Amino acid sequence: MNELQKNELYSNLYGFYGKLLTKRQQDYFEDYYYSDLSLGEIADNHGVSRQAVFDNLKRSCKLLNNFETKLCMKSDYDFFEQSLQKCIDSLNVNDYVAIQSVIEVMLSRLKGE
């Protein structure tokens, strides 16, 4: 995974789980990923070492991954978004059988089957 993909992944995960991080973790994360500040700039702004910022960001990313592994909110969101797009595409060609099939899969997923 390249740096751009990694940044996009963590930004997306932060959108789902950011409120579960501590205020300090949120501040560092937002400074680094959204404000594009360097580790040194963040450290200076918060009066900590560059290593402390690095460790905090690493821990935050690990937490975000753990939240996704356990709660699956992003993967569920992606699944339902793609499924709804398939329904729209099928509606455009009047393929009601395909729509029914997609909806049945969505309902099964909601039921945990």
Side-chain angles (χ1 to χ4, degrees), residues 8-85:
E8 183 178 356
L9 170 66
Y10 288 123
S11 292
N12 286 335
L13 291 177
Y14 185 80
F16 286 100
Y17 307 113
K19 295 291 184 185
L20 299 174
L21 300 175
T22 66
K23 178 67 172 131
R24 179 164 292 198
Q25 288 170 327
Q26 291 175 31
D27 290 343
Y28 291 178
F29 188 94
E30 290 174 10
D31 285 350
Y32 187 77
Y33 285 98
Y34 296 149
S35 299
D36 200 29
L37 297 180
S38 70
L39 297 178
E41 291 170 322
I42 298 168
D44 289 344
N45 291 345
H46 293 276
V48 297
S49 70
R50 186 182 175 284
Q51 186 65 43
V53 174
F54 176 80
D55 291 342
N56 188 297
L57 286 170
K58 187 174 179 180
R59 190 170 30 260
S60 296
C61 290
K62 185 175 181 178
L63 283 169
L64 293 173
N65 282 324
N66 288 340
F67 293 144
E68 176 60 17
T69 298
K70 293 176 182 171
L71 301 173
C72 304
M73 290 173 57
K74 181 187 176 309
S75 62
D76 284 347
Y77 177 88
D78 292 344
F79 168 78
F80 284 106
E81 182 180 44
Q82 291 168 4
S83 296
L84 289 170
Q85 186 59 54

